[in-house]
Amino acid sequence: MTVRRPGGVRAQAMAGVIPISDEELRDLPLPTAKAIEIVAFVPLDSVDPLKISEGYYLAPSGQVAAKPYKLLRMALDRSSKVAVAKYAWSGRERLGLLRVREDVIVLHAMRWPDEIRSPEELLPPPVELSDEEIEGALGLMDSMTREELEGEDFQDTYTEALSQIIEAKREDREPPELAEPESQPGQIVDLMAALNESVQQARASRGEDADGHELPKKKATKKQPAKKTAKKSTAKKTSGRRPRSA
């Protein structure tokens, strides 16, 4: 498994910008300059998700790398662990996480510890919470729990709306009027009331009653066709020919 290097980088020094060629990058005394170097294997739950960034599929480079690639994939799969590795990308050494997705190894870029800000300055002021409020929050979580991330709530509605606007402009017509999301004016002060209202809305959207039981589905009533009353009329005979029926 190899990582491609960029066509060249520039290092900014005190005297200005210094160009660095591909040959100089290739001769760097780093094992990660040309390949991915695995440094450790750890359980996935031991990695802070904040450190994990975008992912890339890895493929073996030729037939020679096919066997080591498969060996690493099967070892990761059976051990339920992930590999932490170093690699070169965009002119710098990076930290990465290797995991298995189906039959492919995925490389997730990771942030170095000094790239993560401390959240202490963002902490809210201290507040008091009652047991009822905590139980209300847990009830909201239960009502919104899903087995899989599928359905209308997990569709990219922003891209769909943007596509409608682009298509309308391409056809030189007015863009469709998109419905505004429902919002309640003002600020809700009662946290318990807000939690209870959110729980009821979540249960109603999933077809459940106030106690969390599934509501019975309404049976469709079969409509009887309306009887047609045919009005009989005597057709006049003309020139001895029989009249055609309607």
Side-chain angles (χ1 to χ4, degrees), residues 6 16 22 31 34 48-50 60 65 72 81 83 85 89 92 102 106 112 117 123 135 145 151 158 191 200 208 243:
D22 286 343
K34 299 181 181 180
D48 186 355
L50 191 60
L72 176 60
K81 294 182 179 179
W89 188 271
R92 56 173 296 187
E102 297 180 358
V106 180
W112 294 100
R117 293 177 55 188
L123 292 177
E135 291 296 330
T145 299
Y158 179 86
L191 181 58
Q200 299 304 326
E208 298 177 354

Side-chain angles (χ1 to χ4, degrees), residues 52-142:
I52 303 176
S53 186
E54 64 275 0
Y56 305 91
Y57 290 116
L58 292 183
S61 179
Q63 185 63 30
V64 178
K67 190 171 183 178
Y69 181 92
K70 184 176 182 180
L71 179 61
L72 176 60
R73 178 182 61 80
M74 295 185 67
L76 289 174
D77 192 23
R78 292 189 182 184
S79 66
S80 300
K81 294 182 179 179
V82 295
V84 179
K86 292 181 179 180
Y87 64 101
W89 188 271
S90 298
R92 56 173 296 187
E93 188 174 60
R94 295 180 177 269
L95 197 63
L97 183 145
L98 302 178
R99 68 177 183 90
V100 175
R101 186 180 188 272
E102 297 180 358
D103 293 332
V104 185
I105 298 177
V106 180
L107 168 65
H108 285 279
M110 295 183 64
R111 299 178 178 87
W112 294 100
D114 59 353
E115 294 178 332
I116 301 177
R117 293 177 55 188
S118 173
E120 294 182 357
E121 59 187 51
L122 305 176
L123 292 177
V127 294
E128 296 293 335
L129 291 175
S130 64
D131 292 338
E132 290 78 9
E133 291 171 336
I134 298 176
E135 291 296 330
L138 293 175
L140 178 60
M141 292 175 60
D142 291 338

Side-chain angles (χ1 to χ4, degrees), residues 116-183:
I116 301 177
R117 293 177 55 188
S118 173
E120 294 182 357
E121 59 187 51
L122 305 176
L123 292 177
V127 294
E128 296 293 335
L129 291 175
S130 64
D131 292 338
E132 290 78 9
E133 291 171 336
I134 298 176
E135 291 296 330
L138 293 175
L140 178 60
M141 292 175 60
D142 291 338
S143 63
M144 298 179 64
T145 299
R146 303 284 187 91
E147 295 296 332
E148 296 179 354
L149 300 182
E150 295 180 355
E152 297 181 355
D153 293 335
F154 305 101
Q155 293 180 356
D156 188 0
T157 55
Y158 179 86
T159 302
E160 292 178 0
L162 186 60
S163 299
Q164 294 179 16
I165 295 176
I166 295 175
E167 190 65 25
K169 288 182 173 293
R170 182 184 289 117
E171 298 177 357
D172 196 19
R173 56 182 175 84
E174 289 294 328
E177 295 184 1
L178 304 178
E180 293 289 340
E182 296 182 359
S183 59

Side-chain angles (χ1 to χ4, degrees), residues 231-238 243-244:
K231 184 177 181 182
K232 295 182 179 180
S233 61
T234 305
K236 295 182 180 179
K237 294 183 179 180
T238 58
R244 287 185 291 178

